[in-house]
Amino acid sequence: MSTADDPTTATTPDRTGYDPSFLTVDVPLPAVHTTVRELPYVHFTVLLDPARRLAALTAVNIDGASLLDLGRGDDWHVDDRVPDDEQTGPDVYASNDLDRGHLVRRRDPVWGDPSVAAAANVDTFSFTNAAPQAAEFNQSKELWLGLEDQVLQYASTHRQRLTVFTAPVLLDDDAPYRGVRLPRRFFKVAAWTTSDGGSLRTAAYLLDQSPELEGVDLEAAFARAHELGDPPPLGPYRTYQVPVRDIAEMTGFDLAQLAEADTLQPVPTIEPPDGIRAGWVPLTSVDQLSF
């Protein structure tokens, strides 16, 4: 096949990035209250935190009526618009069990004209759109991936437009590793409009891989990992549907518009289960996902 026939070698369309007017209700990029580089890609935008070398926030537009099924590819690359020392590149993922976890999922922006979709596919493999995650699969991480499939399937089946915000929760006490600090939590907020186009609806989800160890045991585990040059310990994946307002509280982002449209009905509890905040819904199967 000649390069002219290969969509991945086509001239990259204009990277106009996330479109706040994509839905029938305007949804601007949330204010993140930290210094970021705004990086537009094809159908999505990354707000890169150069101090943390990871995305503070990603935002993608999904057009369920014109999604295309393209081959995956695996061409991870640094973004040459950003200094290498402001992004988490291949060295962090080498010779360990850390995954390059897509934030904007590969298939989400792959829609529209084939050449545009192909460019979006390639753009998702920028290291600015990745964050380190523990590679081991278990039910809850598969559930997180199932959530991503469910969001995309919903958009495709109903020919629906969606906007999705995804990011790691960047905390000051995240453990250091190879010049970056590894996030323990990741969130996703999906936004769409009602069938009449008049009202915004949202749903928020949280993936938690916090270590189960605490106190002295956790400090000792961190020290051993540092001595061996291993990633710091990460715990088993847990997935929750959570109030959007709690994502705002964790991150400090201005999510007021999204919180007001939250579809999650608070779950009344007399005493929340250990480690679970009131209003958080632990998810154990894809059938429980709602949006």
Side-chain angles (χ1 to χ4, degrees), residues 35-51:
T35 301
V36 294
R37 291 184 180 271
E38 183 169 340
L39 300 173
Y41 295 94
V42 179
H43 296 154
F44 70 97
T45 290
V46 172
L47 299 183
L48 180 69
D49 182 335

Side-chain angles (χ1 to χ4, degrees), residues 4-232:
D5 297 323
D6 183 354
T8 63
T9 63
T11 301
T12 302
D14 289 340
R15 286 168 157 172
T16 55
Y18 170 76
D19 179 3
S21 63
F22 185 71
L23 303 179
T24 54
V25 175
D26 278 3
V27 183
L29 277 171
V32 299
H33 306 303
T34 189
T35 301
V36 294
R37 291 184 180 271
E38 183 169 340
L39 300 173
Y41 295 94
V42 179
H43 296 154
F44 70 97
T45 290
V46 172
L47 299 183
L48 180 69
D49 182 335
R52 287 295 302 262
R53 300 172 59 192
L54 294 168
L57 183 70
T58 68
V60 60
N61 302 125
I62 306 171
D63 186 350
S66 58
L67 288 164
L68 297 182
D69 187 10
L70 299 184
R72 174 183 169 84
D74 202 22
D75 182 22
W76 284 98
H77 55 277
V78 296
D79 189 323
D80 59 12
R81 297 174 294 178
V82 181
D84 287 357
D85 62 359
E86 291 185 2
Q87 51 191 312
T88 296
D91 292 349
V92 173
Y93 302 95
S95 304
N96 56 37
D97 62 354
L98 293 177
D99 269 349
R100 295 165 294 197
H102 274 85
L103 297 172
V104 170
R105 193 173 180 217
R106 181 189 71 84
R107 295 171 59 204
D108 286 357
V110 179
W111 52 269
D113 181 88
S115 65
V116 175
N121 189 44
V122 172
D123 272 356
T124 65
F125 285 94
S126 171
F127 277 110
T128 57
N129 184 44
Q133 292 182 341
E136 181 181 356
F137 273 69
N138 61 23
Q139 182 181 5
S140 289
K141 186 172 184 184
E142 290 171 354
L143 179 62
W144 183 253
L145 299 180
L147 165 62
E148 295 180 325
D149 285 336
Q150 191 87 345
V151 168
L152 203 66
Q153 184 64 40
Y154 176 84
S156 178
T157 299
H158 298 280
R159 304 180 69 81
Q160 176 89 12
R161 285 189 165 199
L162 295 173
T163 283
V164 179
F165 302 99
T166 307
V169 179
L170 302 178
L171 302 175
D172 291 342
D173 62 352
D174 289 332
Y177 177 65
R178 295 184 181 177
V180 300
R181 281 177 281 160
L182 303 187
R184 306 187 297 273
R185 288 176 166 177
F186 296 81
F187 72 85
K188 185 181 300 290
V189 180
W192 65 99
T193 52
T194 53
S195 57
D196 62 5
S199 299
L200 185 68
R201 296 288 184 267
T202 62
Y205 304 91
L206 186 77
L207 175 73
D208 193 331
Q209 56 178 1
S210 299
E212 290 186 328
L213 301 173
E214 295 181 357
V216 174
D217 289 339
L218 184 59
E219 291 298 323
F222 282 164
R224 285 194 300 271
H226 181 73
E227 183 178 347
L228 296 173
D230 292 336

